[in-house]
Amino acid sequence: QVQLVESGGGLVQAGGSLRLSCAASGRTLCMGWFRQAPGKEREFVAAISRSSGSTGYADSVKGRFTISRDNAKSSVYLQMNSLKPEDTAVYYCAAALKEYAAFPADFNSWGQGTQVTVSS
């Protein structure tokens, strides 16, 4: 239904910043970001609704990460500041048919992922 492509990952020092981008090819109502570290389950990072612009964040990133959306371009962004080594993971862009979603099961389309590595 929807194809997603992420970009912007890379290697940074602790305390540094990165901005991730995701472009969607089809209709989306809610878009968000998840991450998965080796040996761990995929976890929610942030999400934003299309109509209201309401956002939600995991407690571990709140105050450091900011999610935004450009509906005209069907794109979502994740500004990551004050990065920590524990933020190291593959970050996935996801799209849902619901206006509000935060669980993996709520999202129907997933990108291939982009690697974020934070050195200590």
Side-chain angles (χ1 to χ4, degrees), residues 47-116:
I48 184 168
S49 67
R50 179 183 185 276
S51 299
S52 68
S54 297
T55 59
Y57 297 91
D59 289 341
S60 60
V61 306
K62 193 170 185 177
R64 299 188 297 120
F65 292 9
T66 302
I67 188 171
S68 60
R69 182 169 183 168
D70 185 336
N71 290 337
K73 297 181 178 180
S74 297
S75 299
V76 65
Y77 309 92
L78 185 68
Q79 178 66 46
M80 305 184 294
N81 298 326
S82 301
L83 284 163
K84 305 174 181 179
E86 49 263 45
D87 294 319
T88 296
V90 176
Y91 283 70
Y92 296 90
C93 178
L97 297 178
K98 300 179 179 179
E99 283 286 354
Y100 302 96
F103 300 98
D106 293 329
F107 291 83
N108 306 105
S109 301
W110 297 83
Q112 292 296 109
T114 184
Q115 176 70 231
V116 172

Side-chain angles (χ1 to χ4, degrees), residues 18-66:
L18 284 173
R19 189 178 77 118
L20 305 183
S21 299
C22 175
S25 63
R27 172 192 280 183
T28 62
L29 297 181
C30 179
M31 296 186 70
W33 292 93
F34 290 77
R35 66 186 183 186
Q36 186 169 24
K40 297 181 64 178
E41 294 184 356
R42 189 168 298 185
E43 66 173 344
F44 170 78
V45 176
I48 184 168
S49 67
R50 179 183 185 276
S51 299
S52 68
S54 297
T55 59
Y57 297 91
D59 289 341
S60 60
V61 306
K62 193 170 185 177
R64 299 188 297 120
F65 292 9
T66 302

